[in-house]
Amino acid sequence: MSHEITKTDSLMYTGDVPWHGMGRMLPAHCTPTEALTAAGLEWRVETAPLYWPDPYTNASHSVEDRVQLYRSDTHEPLGVVSKQYQPFQNSDICSFIDAVLGSDGFAAVETAGSLRGGRRVWFLLDQGKHDIAGVDTVHKYSLFASGHDGSCAFRVLNTPIRVVCANTFRASGAEGTEGLTVSHRGNMSAQIEAARHALAGTTELHKTFIAEAERLAATPIRSSWLRVFYERAYTERVATPEARRLLLSDRSNL
């Protein structure tokens, strides 16, 4: 399925039911710790040594610089990584959220869960919304996302996308470059202050976007502007050569 929620994945949400109809619904103002339990994320990422079989002697040899990651509850393999890789547990993400936002931070989790058997996890926090011109709602979320297969770093960013599946996970920017990216190496807790700055920076971008959107919403659209937009969006980009010829012919007759 396009949502990439497997039989060993689970999620929680508050508010509207996700489009796929899956997940456990909780009351609003859910804390990260409550979300961890409700989303079935209390399992840990464990490591195991790797071996390869010698086809000639049938002996097993260890792979010295690689380890296997697996889920503690299902023992499902997640990925193969170097020995320098540091698993960042789901419970660590909860602690990280609390540390980044602090006691005065608004940490109501709207959605949380896993994808691809636990290879991707996320916590999405509700940080308010704004109605452009009073009618067009733009949400502001803080997203804490991570990979448990060695192919996705730990990410902290603000996004207007409500994450409930693989498509929205990608659309949110969780695998992009905005916000803060932390590799699974060394002391990740040292990145707390950097995460605060990353969220503050994207909050300012959100405010700038809201201000510009409100300005555009208040700008009257004149017929001359619509004609220019139509010509650029349709005549020059979409119309077939024959349709373009007819449109240009009609314009010459005006």
Side-chain angles (χ1 to χ4, degrees):
M1 293 291 290
S2 60
H3 50 62
E4 296 186 35
I5 301 171
T6 72
K7 63 181 181 181
T8 58
D9 289 310
S10 56
L11 65 139
M12 57 71 58
Y13 65 91
T14 64
D16 295 338
V17 179
W19 66 268
H20 43 63
M22 303 171 68
R24 179 182 176 186
M25 183 176 184
L26 264 68
H29 307 297
C30 176
T31 68
T33 300
E34 291 170 339
L36 179 79
T37 300
L41 296 177
E42 293 180 301
W43 47 268
R44 294 179 56 81
V45 179
E46 304 289 358
T47 62
L50 279 177
Y51 298 92
W52 62 275
D54 189 319
Y56 299 102
T57 65
N58 292 324
S60 293
H61 304 279
S62 64
V63 180
E64 295 184 358
D65 59 345
R66 292 288 185 272
V67 293
Q68 173 74 60
L69 300 176
Y70 69 94
R71 281 181 58 159
S72 62
D73 57 344
T74 64
H75 295 174
E76 181 179 1
L78 298 172
V80 175
V81 297
S82 72
K83 287 189 174 181
Q84 286 71 45
Y85 183 93
Q86 296 291 325
F88 197 57
Q89 306 296 346
N90 301 330
S91 58
D92 293 334
I93 299 177
C94 291
S95 300
F96 192 90
I97 292 172
D98 290 334
V100 168
L101 297 183
S103 59
D104 297 329
F106 180 48
V109 180
E110 181 158 328
T111 71
S114 67
L115 303 167
R116 307 176 199 169
R119 291 168 178 81
R120 297 287 185 272
V121 298
W122 84 90
F123 290 79
L124 186 75
L125 278 63
D126 178 10
Q127 297 288 292
K129 61 183 179 180
H130 183 88
D131 293 331
I132 304 296
V135 295
D136 190 2
T137 302
V138 176
H139 291 273
K140 183 176 69 172
Y141 298 110
S142 293
L143 178 65
F144 296 76
S146 189
H148 289 320
D149 61 355
S151 67
C152 182
F154 177 60
R155 305 270 292 120
V156 181
L157 67 153
N158 281 334
T159 178
I161 304 297
R162 185 177 190 246
V163 179
V164 296
C165 64
N167 288 335
T168 49
F169 186 91
R170 286 187 288 267
S172 70
E175 296 177 338
T177 58
E178 296 296 327
L180 174 70
T181 299
V182 184
S183 64
H184 289 263
R185 296 174 184 272
N187 181 13
M188 296 182 69
S189 61
Q191 299 292 333
I192 290 174
E193 195 59 34
R196 288 198 184 102
H197 286 296
L199 290 179
T202 50
T203 296
E204 288 304 313
L205 290 176
H206 179 81
K207 291 179 180 178
T208 301
F209 168 79
I210 291 297
E212 183 65 13
E214 289 287 7
R215 185 189 69 80
L216 290 173
T219 302
I221 298 178
R222 299 178 175 85
S223 59
S224 58
W225 185 92
L226 283 175
R227 183 180 186 87
V228 172
F229 175 80
Y230 178 79
E231 289 178 351
R232 291 181 178 177
Y234 178 75
T235 307
E236 298 178 10
R237 302 280 183 177
V238 179
T240 64
E242 178 61 16
R244 189 178 299 113
R245 184 186 66 77
L246 292 173
L247 288 167
L248 293 174
S249 176
D250 289 341
R251 185 191 307 168
S252 65
N253 294 327
L254 295 176

